[in-house]
Each structure stands twice: as structure tokens, then as C-alpha cells.
Amino acid sequence: MFWTLAGLFVISLVLLIFSIMKTSQAAKKEHEQIDMMHISTMKEINALQDSVRNLELDLEVVIEASGFQLSSEERIFMREVLDLYKRSYSIENIAELKQVPVSEIEQIVAPYQQVKDGGRKVAVEN
């Protein structure tokens, strides 16, 4: 009876040690996968930051080359207006939201408007 209990105790101890080793190996593999995901995410973030930095530099070069100077408030205002326009807000709604005259919004979005009703204008003029 004693030898049976001792044998079972030794077997359970061996199985416990084996289980701990397998668990630590699995944890190491999972940790390595997490590290690899973190590294790839950081590389993507760095690439995006480089792209944004390059776009900012390109914007500065274009602004300097064109000689067209805007204050930061004017630039933000134009960006917001164009964003609303690109999201299909009407010019009247944009003017109402920004509390400016419709003519000012029309001047800002004029270069970005697509000719939609060209055929109708010709028919009406004739």
C-alpha cells in the first residue's frame, strides 16, 4: 500500500513538472508572437509618421512655391469647409454651420466642384 501511494505521488509530481514546462513553453511562444505583432505595428506607425512628415514638407514647398500665404486659422477653416463639402453637405448648409456668407463658401469649393449639369445649361441657353 505504501509503495502504491509513493508511486502515485511520484507519477503526479512528474506530471506536474511536465505540465509546468509545457505551459511555460506555450507562454514563451505567445509572448514571442505578441512581440512580433508589436514590432510590426511600430514599423507601420513609423511608416505612417514618415508619410505624414513628407506630406507636411510637400505642403510647405507648394505653399512657398505658389506664394499663396494663409494663416493657420484660414487654413483650418478651408480644410473644414472642404471636408464638409466632400462629405456631400450642401453649400448652404456649410455656410449656415460656419456662419459665413454662401458666396464665401462657393469661392472656397469652386475649384473642387464637378461640372454636373453642363448639358442642361446648353439647352437652356439655346
Side-chain angles (χ1 to χ4, degrees), residues 67-85:
F68 189 68
Q69 297 296 323
L70 289 174
S71 68
S72 61
E73 294 86 18
E74 291 172 325
R75 194 175 314 141
I76 291 170
F77 176 75
M78 287 182 70
R79 183 183 313 138
E80 290 172 351
V81 167
L82 288 174
D83 179 49
L84 291 171
Y85 181 73

Side-chain angles (χ1 to χ4, degrees), residues 105-116:
I105 301 300
E106 288 174 342
Q107 287 176 345
I108 292 172
V109 300
Y112 304 97
Q113 287 181 324
Q114 298 174 350
V115 178
K116 296 179 183 175

Side-chain angles (χ1 to χ4, degrees), residues 51-96:
S51 296
V52 168
R53 194 174 309 117
N54 288 339
L55 286 172
E56 289 172 346
L57 292 172
D58 290 346
L59 178 64
E60 283 184 37
V61 167
V62 168
I63 287 173
E64 283 296 319
S66 69
F68 189 68
Q69 297 296 323
L70 289 174
S71 68
S72 61
E73 294 86 18
E74 291 172 325
R75 194 175 314 141
I76 291 170
F77 176 75
M78 287 182 70
R79 183 183 313 138
E80 290 172 351
V81 167
L82 288 174
D83 179 49
L84 291 171
Y85 181 73
K86 294 286 184 177
R87 291 193 282 154
S88 300
Y89 279 68
S90 70
I91 293 174
E92 292 78 17
N93 285 344
I94 297 170
E96 185 179 324

Side-chain angles (χ1 to χ4, degrees), residues 41-53:
T41 304
M42 292 305 296
K43 285 181 181 178
E44 289 177 16
I45 289 172
N46 286 336
L48 288 172
Q49 286 175 337
D50 289 342
S51 296
V52 168
R53 194 174 309 117

